[in-house]
Short mmCIF file of all heavy atoms in Angstrom, two decimals:
data_model
loop_
_atom_site.label_atom_id
_atom_site.label_comp_id
_atom_site.label_asym_id
_atom_site.label_seq_id
_atom_site.Cartn_x
_atom_site.Cartn_y
_atom_site.Cartn_z
N LEU A 1 8.93 -118.93 21.60
CA LEU A 1 9.55 -120.09 20.98
C LEU A 1 10.81 -119.67 20.24
O LEU A 1 10.82 -118.70 19.49
CB LEU A 1 8.58 -120.76 20.00
CG LEU A 1 9.13 -121.95 19.20
CD1 LEU A 1 9.45 -123.12 20.11
CD2 LEU A 1 8.13 -122.37 18.12
N VAL A 2 11.88 -120.43 20.44
CA VAL A 2 13.15 -120.19 19.77
C VAL A 2 13.36 -121.19 18.64
O VAL A 2 13.65 -120.81 17.50
CB VAL A 2 14.32 -120.24 20.76
CG1 VAL A 2 15.66 -120.15 20.02
CG2 VAL A 2 14.20 -119.13 21.79
N ALA A 3 13.24 -122.48 18.96
CA ALA A 3 13.53 -123.52 17.98
C ALA A 3 12.89 -124.83 18.40
O ALA A 3 12.60 -125.05 19.58
CB ALA A 3 15.04 -123.71 17.82
N VAL A 4 12.67 -125.71 17.43
CA VAL A 4 12.12 -127.03 17.69
C VAL A 4 12.86 -128.04 16.82
O VAL A 4 13.29 -127.71 15.70
CB VAL A 4 10.60 -127.06 17.41
CG1 VAL A 4 10.29 -126.70 15.97
CG2 VAL A 4 10.00 -128.41 17.78
N ILE A 5 13.00 -129.25 17.33
CA ILE A 5 13.68 -130.31 16.59
C ILE A 5 12.88 -131.60 16.74
O ILE A 5 12.35 -131.90 17.81
CB ILE A 5 15.14 -130.48 17.07
CG1 ILE A 5 15.90 -131.46 16.18
CG2 ILE A 5 15.20 -130.90 18.54
CD1 ILE A 5 17.41 -131.42 16.41
N SER A 6 12.79 -132.37 15.67
CA SER A 6 12.07 -133.64 15.68
C SER A 6 12.85 -134.69 16.45
O SER A 6 14.02 -134.52 16.80
CB SER A 6 11.81 -134.11 14.25
OG SER A 6 13.01 -134.31 13.54
N SER A 7 12.20 -135.82 16.71
CA SER A 7 12.77 -136.83 17.59
C SER A 7 14.12 -137.38 17.11
O SER A 7 15.02 -137.63 17.92
CB SER A 7 11.78 -137.98 17.79
OG SER A 7 11.44 -138.58 16.55
N ALA A 8 14.25 -137.57 15.80
CA ALA A 8 15.49 -138.09 15.24
C ALA A 8 16.44 -136.99 14.79
O ALA A 8 17.55 -137.29 14.33
CB ALA A 8 15.20 -139.03 14.07
N GLY A 9 16.02 -135.74 14.89
CA GLY A 9 16.86 -134.63 14.51
C GLY A 9 16.81 -134.26 13.04
O GLY A 9 17.56 -133.38 12.61
N GLY A 10 15.93 -134.91 12.27
CA GLY A 10 15.89 -134.68 10.84
C GLY A 10 15.13 -133.44 10.40
O GLY A 10 15.24 -133.05 9.23
N SER A 11 14.38 -132.84 11.30
CA SER A 11 13.59 -131.67 10.96
C SER A 11 13.74 -130.63 12.06
O SER A 11 13.64 -130.96 13.25
CB SER A 11 12.12 -132.05 10.78
OG SER A 11 11.34 -130.93 10.44
N THR A 12 13.99 -129.39 11.67
CA THR A 12 14.11 -128.28 12.63
C THR A 12 13.33 -127.08 12.13
O THR A 12 13.05 -126.94 10.94
CB THR A 12 15.57 -127.88 12.84
OG1 THR A 12 16.14 -127.46 11.59
CG2 THR A 12 16.39 -129.04 13.39
N ASN A 13 12.98 -126.19 13.06
CA ASN A 13 12.31 -124.95 12.71
C ASN A 13 12.70 -123.90 13.72
O ASN A 13 12.99 -124.21 14.88
CB ASN A 13 10.80 -125.14 12.66
CG ASN A 13 10.10 -124.14 11.78
OD1 ASN A 13 8.89 -124.01 11.82
ND2 ASN A 13 10.84 -123.40 10.95
N TYR A 14 12.68 -122.62 13.28
CA TYR A 14 13.14 -121.51 14.10
C TYR A 14 12.20 -120.33 13.98
O TYR A 14 11.56 -120.12 12.95
CB TYR A 14 14.53 -121.05 13.65
CG TYR A 14 15.57 -122.14 13.66
CD1 TYR A 14 15.75 -122.97 12.55
CD2 TYR A 14 16.36 -122.36 14.78
CE1 TYR A 14 16.70 -123.97 12.57
CE2 TYR A 14 17.31 -123.36 14.80
CZ TYR A 14 17.48 -124.16 13.68
OH TYR A 14 18.43 -125.16 13.70
N ALA A 15 12.15 -119.54 15.04
CA ALA A 15 11.50 -118.24 14.94
C ALA A 15 12.30 -117.36 13.98
O ALA A 15 13.51 -117.50 13.85
CB ALA A 15 11.42 -117.58 16.32
N ASP A 16 11.61 -116.43 13.31
CA ASP A 16 12.25 -115.64 12.26
C ASP A 16 13.47 -114.87 12.76
O ASP A 16 14.47 -114.77 12.05
CB ASP A 16 11.24 -114.66 11.65
CG ASP A 16 10.23 -115.34 10.76
OD1 ASP A 16 10.47 -116.49 10.34
OD2 ASP A 16 9.20 -114.71 10.46
N SER A 17 13.40 -114.32 13.96
CA SER A 17 14.51 -113.52 14.46
C SER A 17 15.76 -114.34 14.77
O SER A 17 16.85 -113.79 14.89
CB SER A 17 14.08 -112.73 15.70
OG SER A 17 13.73 -113.60 16.75
N MET A 18 15.61 -115.64 14.90
CA MET A 18 16.73 -116.52 15.19
C MET A 18 17.26 -117.25 13.96
O MET A 18 18.37 -117.79 13.98
CB MET A 18 16.32 -117.57 16.23
CG MET A 18 16.51 -117.12 17.67
SD MET A 18 15.40 -115.77 18.15
CE MET A 18 13.88 -116.69 18.43
N LYS A 19 16.48 -117.25 12.89
CA LYS A 19 16.83 -117.99 11.69
C LYS A 19 18.15 -117.49 11.11
O LYS A 19 18.36 -116.30 10.93
CB LYS A 19 15.71 -117.86 10.66
CG LYS A 19 15.67 -118.96 9.61
CD LYS A 19 14.34 -118.93 8.86
CE LYS A 19 13.17 -119.22 9.78
NZ LYS A 19 11.86 -119.21 9.07
N GLY A 20 19.06 -118.42 10.84
CA GLY A 20 20.36 -118.07 10.29
C GLY A 20 21.42 -117.81 11.32
O GLY A 20 22.61 -117.79 10.98
N ARG A 21 21.03 -117.59 12.57
CA ARG A 21 21.98 -117.33 13.65
C ARG A 21 22.04 -118.47 14.67
O ARG A 21 23.10 -118.73 15.23
CB ARG A 21 21.64 -116.04 14.39
CG ARG A 21 21.68 -114.80 13.51
CD ARG A 21 21.53 -113.53 14.34
NE ARG A 21 20.25 -113.50 15.07
CZ ARG A 21 20.13 -113.38 16.39
NH1 ARG A 21 21.22 -113.27 17.15
NH2 ARG A 21 18.93 -113.34 16.95
N PHE A 22 20.90 -119.11 14.91
CA PHE A 22 20.82 -120.17 15.90
C PHE A 22 20.66 -121.52 15.21
O PHE A 22 20.03 -121.62 14.15
CB PHE A 22 19.62 -119.96 16.83
CG PHE A 22 19.73 -118.79 17.77
CD1 PHE A 22 20.76 -117.86 17.66
CD2 PHE A 22 18.80 -118.63 18.78
CE1 PHE A 22 20.85 -116.78 18.54
CE2 PHE A 22 18.88 -117.56 19.65
CZ PHE A 22 19.90 -116.64 19.54
N THR A 23 21.20 -122.56 15.84
CA THR A 23 21.07 -123.92 15.32
C THR A 23 20.72 -124.86 16.47
O THR A 23 21.45 -124.93 17.46
CB THR A 23 22.35 -124.40 14.64
OG1 THR A 23 22.70 -123.51 13.58
CG2 THR A 23 22.15 -125.80 14.07
N ILE A 24 19.61 -125.58 16.34
CA ILE A 24 19.24 -126.60 17.30
C ILE A 24 19.72 -127.95 16.79
O ILE A 24 19.65 -128.24 15.59
CB ILE A 24 17.72 -126.59 17.57
CG1 ILE A 24 17.36 -127.53 18.72
CG2 ILE A 24 16.93 -126.92 16.31
CD1 ILE A 24 15.91 -127.41 19.18
N SER A 25 20.21 -128.78 17.69
CA SER A 25 20.67 -130.12 17.34
C SER A 25 20.47 -131.03 18.54
O SER A 25 20.15 -130.57 19.64
CB SER A 25 22.13 -130.12 16.88
OG SER A 25 22.99 -129.68 17.93
N ARG A 26 20.66 -132.33 18.33
CA ARG A 26 20.52 -133.26 19.45
C ARG A 26 21.44 -134.45 19.28
O ARG A 26 21.83 -134.80 18.16
CB ARG A 26 19.06 -133.73 19.58
CG ARG A 26 18.54 -134.57 18.43
CD ARG A 26 17.02 -134.72 18.51
NE ARG A 26 16.60 -135.46 19.70
CZ ARG A 26 15.38 -135.40 20.23
NH1 ARG A 26 14.45 -134.64 19.68
NH2 ARG A 26 15.09 -136.12 21.31
N ASP A 27 21.77 -135.06 20.39
CA ASP A 27 22.55 -136.29 20.43
C ASP A 27 21.75 -137.28 21.26
O ASP A 27 21.77 -137.23 22.49
CB ASP A 27 23.93 -136.04 21.03
CG ASP A 27 24.83 -137.25 20.95
OD1 ASP A 27 24.33 -138.38 20.79
OD2 ASP A 27 26.06 -137.08 21.05
N ASN A 28 21.02 -138.16 20.59
CA ASN A 28 20.14 -139.07 21.30
C ASN A 28 20.90 -140.08 22.16
O ASN A 28 20.37 -140.58 23.15
CB ASN A 28 19.21 -139.79 20.33
CG ASN A 28 18.09 -138.89 19.83
OD1 ASN A 28 17.87 -137.81 20.36
ND2 ASN A 28 17.39 -139.32 18.80
N ALA A 29 22.13 -140.39 21.79
CA ALA A 29 22.95 -141.28 22.59
C ALA A 29 23.31 -140.66 23.93
O ALA A 29 23.56 -141.38 24.90
CB ALA A 29 24.21 -141.69 21.84
N LYS A 30 23.33 -139.33 23.99
CA LYS A 30 23.65 -138.61 25.22
C LYS A 30 22.42 -137.99 25.88
O LYS A 30 22.56 -137.32 26.90
CB LYS A 30 24.67 -137.52 24.94
CG LYS A 30 26.02 -138.04 24.49
CD LYS A 30 27.00 -136.90 24.27
CE LYS A 30 28.37 -137.43 23.88
NZ LYS A 30 29.34 -136.32 23.67
N ASN A 31 21.24 -138.21 25.32
CA ASN A 31 20.00 -137.61 25.84
C ASN A 31 20.14 -136.10 26.03
O ASN A 31 19.74 -135.55 27.06
CB ASN A 31 19.59 -138.28 27.15
CG ASN A 31 18.94 -139.63 26.96
OD1 ASN A 31 18.92 -140.19 25.86
ND2 ASN A 31 18.40 -140.19 28.03
N THR A 32 20.70 -135.45 25.04
CA THR A 32 21.00 -134.03 25.14
C THR A 32 20.57 -133.29 23.88
O THR A 32 20.80 -133.77 22.77
CB THR A 32 22.49 -133.80 25.39
OG1 THR A 32 22.88 -134.48 26.60
CG2 THR A 32 22.80 -132.32 25.55
N VAL A 33 19.96 -132.12 24.07
CA VAL A 33 19.65 -131.22 22.98
C VAL A 33 20.46 -129.95 23.16
O VAL A 33 20.71 -129.52 24.29
CB VAL A 33 18.12 -130.93 22.90
CG1 VAL A 33 17.62 -130.25 24.16
CG2 VAL A 33 17.79 -130.12 21.66
N TYR A 34 20.91 -129.36 22.05
CA TYR A 34 21.80 -128.21 22.07
C TYR A 34 21.17 -127.03 21.33
O TYR A 34 20.33 -127.19 20.45
CB TYR A 34 23.12 -128.54 21.38
CG TYR A 34 23.83 -129.74 21.95
CD1 TYR A 34 23.68 -130.99 21.37
CD2 TYR A 34 24.66 -129.62 23.06
CE1 TYR A 34 24.34 -132.10 21.89
CE2 TYR A 34 25.32 -130.72 23.58
CZ TYR A 34 25.16 -131.96 22.99
OH TYR A 34 25.81 -133.05 23.51
N LEU A 35 21.62 -125.85 21.69
CA LEU A 35 21.29 -124.64 20.95
C LEU A 35 22.57 -123.85 20.75
O LEU A 35 23.11 -123.28 21.70
CB LEU A 35 20.25 -123.80 21.68
CG LEU A 35 19.77 -122.56 20.92
CD1 LEU A 35 18.95 -122.96 19.70
CD2 LEU A 35 18.94 -121.65 21.83
N GLN A 36 23.07 -123.83 19.52
CA GLN A 36 24.23 -123.03 19.17
C GLN A 36 23.75 -121.65 18.77
O GLN A 36 22.94 -121.51 17.85
CB GLN A 36 25.00 -123.68 18.01
CG GLN A 36 26.20 -122.87 17.53
CD GLN A 36 27.31 -122.81 18.55
OE1 GLN A 36 27.67 -123.82 19.14
NE2 GLN A 36 27.85 -121.62 18.79
N MET A 37 24.26 -120.62 19.44
CA MET A 37 23.84 -119.24 19.21
C MET A 37 25.03 -118.43 18.74
O MET A 37 26.02 -118.30 19.47
CB MET A 37 23.25 -118.64 20.48
CG MET A 37 22.11 -119.46 21.07
SD MET A 37 21.31 -118.64 22.49
CE MET A 37 22.69 -118.62 23.65
N ASN A 38 24.94 -117.90 17.53
CA ASN A 38 25.99 -117.07 16.95
C ASN A 38 25.48 -115.66 16.69
O ASN A 38 24.27 -115.42 16.64
CB ASN A 38 26.49 -117.69 15.64
CG ASN A 38 27.08 -119.07 15.81
OD1 ASN A 38 27.69 -119.37 16.84
ND2 ASN A 38 26.90 -119.92 14.80
N SER A 39 26.40 -114.74 16.49
CA SER A 39 26.07 -113.35 16.18
C SER A 39 25.05 -112.79 17.17
O SER A 39 24.05 -112.18 16.79
CB SER A 39 25.54 -113.24 14.74
OG SER A 39 26.50 -113.71 13.82
N LEU A 40 25.32 -112.99 18.43
CA LEU A 40 24.37 -112.61 19.47
C LEU A 40 24.19 -111.10 19.55
O LEU A 40 25.13 -110.33 19.35
CB LEU A 40 24.81 -113.16 20.82
CG LEU A 40 24.57 -114.66 20.99
CD1 LEU A 40 25.39 -115.22 22.13
CD2 LEU A 40 23.08 -114.93 21.22
N LYS A 41 22.97 -110.70 19.85
CA LYS A 41 22.57 -109.31 19.95
C LYS A 41 22.04 -109.04 21.35
O LYS A 41 21.57 -109.95 22.03
CB LYS A 41 21.47 -109.00 18.93
CG LYS A 41 21.83 -109.35 17.49
CD LYS A 41 20.63 -109.16 16.58
CE LYS A 41 20.96 -109.55 15.15
NZ LYS A 41 19.80 -109.38 14.25
N PRO A 42 22.08 -107.77 21.80
CA PRO A 42 21.53 -107.46 23.12
C PRO A 42 20.08 -107.92 23.30
O PRO A 42 19.70 -108.32 24.40
CB PRO A 42 21.64 -105.93 23.19
CG PRO A 42 22.83 -105.62 22.34
CD PRO A 42 22.75 -106.61 21.20
N GLU A 43 19.29 -107.88 22.23
CA GLU A 43 17.90 -108.31 22.33
C GLU A 43 17.74 -109.82 22.50
O GLU A 43 16.63 -110.30 22.72
CB GLU A 43 17.09 -107.83 21.12
CG GLU A 43 17.71 -108.15 19.78
CD GLU A 43 18.51 -106.99 19.20
OE1 GLU A 43 19.29 -106.36 19.94
OE2 GLU A 43 18.33 -106.70 17.99
N ASP A 44 18.84 -110.58 22.41
CA ASP A 44 18.80 -112.00 22.71
C ASP A 44 18.88 -112.28 24.21
O ASP A 44 18.75 -113.43 24.63
CB ASP A 44 19.94 -112.74 22.01
CG ASP A 44 19.81 -112.71 20.50
OD1 ASP A 44 18.68 -112.87 19.98
OD2 ASP A 44 20.85 -112.55 19.83
N THR A 45 19.12 -111.25 25.00
CA THR A 45 19.21 -111.41 26.45
C THR A 45 17.89 -111.94 27.00
O THR A 45 16.83 -111.35 26.79
CB THR A 45 19.56 -110.08 27.12
OG1 THR A 45 20.87 -109.67 26.70
CG2 THR A 45 19.54 -110.21 28.63
N ALA A 46 17.95 -113.07 27.69
CA ALA A 46 16.76 -113.72 28.21
C ALA A 46 17.18 -114.94 29.02
O ALA A 46 18.34 -115.36 28.99
CB ALA A 46 15.83 -114.15 27.07
N VAL A 47 16.21 -115.52 29.71
CA VAL A 47 16.38 -116.85 30.28
C VAL A 47 15.94 -117.85 29.23
O VAL A 47 14.83 -117.74 28.69
CB VAL A 47 15.58 -117.03 31.58
CG1 VAL A 47 15.75 -118.45 32.11
CG2 VAL A 47 16.03 -116.02 32.63
N TYR A 48 16.78 -118.82 28.94
CA TYR A 48 16.50 -119.82 27.91
C TYR A 48 16.10 -121.13 28.58
O TYR A 48 16.78 -121.61 29.49
CB TYR A 48 17.72 -120.02 27.02
CG TYR A 48 17.90 -118.89 26.03
CD1 TYR A 48 18.33 -117.64 26.45
CD2 TYR A 48 17.63 -119.07 24.68
CE1 TYR A 48 18.47 -116.59 25.56
CE2 TYR A 48 17.77 -118.03 23.77
CZ TYR A 48 18.19 -116.79 24.22
OH TYR A 48 18.33 -115.76 23.32
#
């Protein structure tokens, strides 16, 4: 698990290793959820 977001976007949670670097968000008008990833490390290499 990387991150989770509530239906309206008002609540989010992250795995400890991602906290402070990753941000989950959503745009319900576009039916799209996003994951902004900053300060990436080699250990972040994966299929998402």
Side-chain angles (χ1 to χ4, degrees):
L1 176 66
V2 174
V4 60
I5 187 167
S6 60
S7 59
S11 181
T12 60
N13 204 193
Y14 304 87
D16 286 343
S17 63
M18 272 67 78
K19 202 167 297 181
R21 299 188 299 123
F22 291 9
T23 302
I24 188 171
S25 62
R26 66 193 295 159
D27 186 340
N28 284 348
K30 295 182 177 180
N31 283 9
T32 301
V33 62
Y34 305 96
L35 184 68
Q36 178 67 46
M37 305 186 296
N38 299 326
S39 301
L40 284 163
K41 306 173 181 180
E43 51 263 46
D44 295 319
T45 296
V47 178
Y48 284 72

